[in-house]
Amino acid sequence: MRARRPVVAAAAALLIGTGVVAGTATAASAHPRDHRPPGVGSGHGGHGHGEGLALAFGKDRWLESHVDRTVTPEARQALCDALDAAREQFRTALEAAGDDAAAKEAARVAFAQARAAAITAFDAATLPADQLAAVSAYRASVAQAEDGLRTAVVAAKDKLTTSTSAARDQLRAALAAATTSDERRAAFEAFQQAIQPARDTFKADLKAAMDAATSQIQAARTALEAALATPAA
């Protein structure tokens, strides 16, 4: 049994769903859906607080509730333009990559870097100078947690695939030899029983990856709160 590719996205989505962090950049996140920059639809005029402040690929409501952001039309437009360009470059790179996994990964990394650069520029244009360094450090920690989560989930998936390889070979052989529906059913039941330990390990690996990412992000939040509470020299 193969772990489905969306497992990686699903793990990141668990963090998004808890409001902890925006998701990892993927081909899906490059789709031109609603990409309103922070401050749009916030109900707070030019100051970005709370639910209304959204980054292009997810909402970090917690961060926006802790900073004093002043958004101008020029800053909004610059962010939108930069993110649109990054998405277009990502789509083009993915099309050119075809089935080349390394090229796809390079496109993902380039997209994440372009996205980060756009958000960094937006922060510089909209945050007070005494909050910028702390927010930049927070974003770096969040990005590291996202990358760590993605790496851990991919590794867990690969381990599951490897550890169930023999069972899958046995299933194929049993199905090829089966002549009745009962024999085919028995083959599938034997397969499910054989891979259950590997599946349990996979679930445990995913939980450990999620716990590690959540812990790192909570630490980043604590550090940001402390930095923002310390008056600038």
Side-chain angles (χ1 to χ4, degrees):
M1 181 190 71
R2 290 184 178 273
R4 295 183 179 87
R5 288 182 62 189
V7 164
V8 178
L14 288 176
L15 286 183
I16 300 171
T18 62
V20 174
V21 63
T24 304
T26 64
S29 67
H31 191 277
R33 295 177 295 180
D34 179 15
H35 59 278
R36 292 175 299 169
V40 177
S42 67
H44 292 281
H47 292 81
H49 290 281
E51 299 289 325
L53 283 182
L55 287 178
F57 303 103
K59 298 178 180 179
D60 193 334
R61 299 182 180 92
W62 182 89
L63 172 62
E64 297 305 331
S65 71
H66 285 71
V67 297
D68 301 312
R69 192 186 296 280
T70 300
V71 182
T72 65
E74 293 78 12
R76 284 198 298 268
Q77 189 61 52
L79 177 62
C80 284
D81 290 346
L83 292 172
D84 283 343
R87 279 192 296 273
E88 184 59 34
Q89 291 171 358
F90 187 36
R91 282 193 291 265
T92 300
L94 285 180
E95 291 174 0
D99 295 329
D100 188 333
K104 287 182 178 179
E105 177 63 12
R108 184 197 68 80
V109 171
F111 174 59
Q113 291 173 342
R115 171 181 176 267
I119 293 173
T120 296
F122 181 80
D123 283 343
T126 60
L127 289 175
D130 60 353
Q131 294 186 356
L132 183 57
V135 171
S136 296
Y138 166 80
R139 289 201 189 281
S141 294
V142 168
Q144 185 179 48
E146 288 181 325
D147 286 343
L149 174 61
R150 183 178 185 278
T151 299
V153 171
V154 169
K157 173 185 174 294
D158 289 344
K159 184 168 73 172
L160 175 63
T161 299
T162 300
S163 62
T164 58
S165 177
R168 283 184 277 112
D169 288 342
Q170 292 169 0
L171 173 62
R172 282 190 288 266
L175 290 176
T179 58
T180 67
S181 59
D182 286 342
E183 289 175 344
R184 286 188 288 273
R185 185 180 304 109
F188 278 113
E189 289 175 354
F191 171 71
Q192 292 295 335
Q193 184 175 0
I195 67 171
Q196 190 57 51
R199 294 179 66 180
D200 291 341
T201 298
F202 178 64
K203 292 177 183 178
D205 288 344
L206 287 186
K207 183 179 185 303
M210 289 295 302
D211 288 347
T214 300
S215 177
Q216 185 171 352
I217 291 169
Q218 294 295 351
R221 287 181 168 185
T222 298
L224 179 62
E225 287 179 321
L228 295 180
T230 302

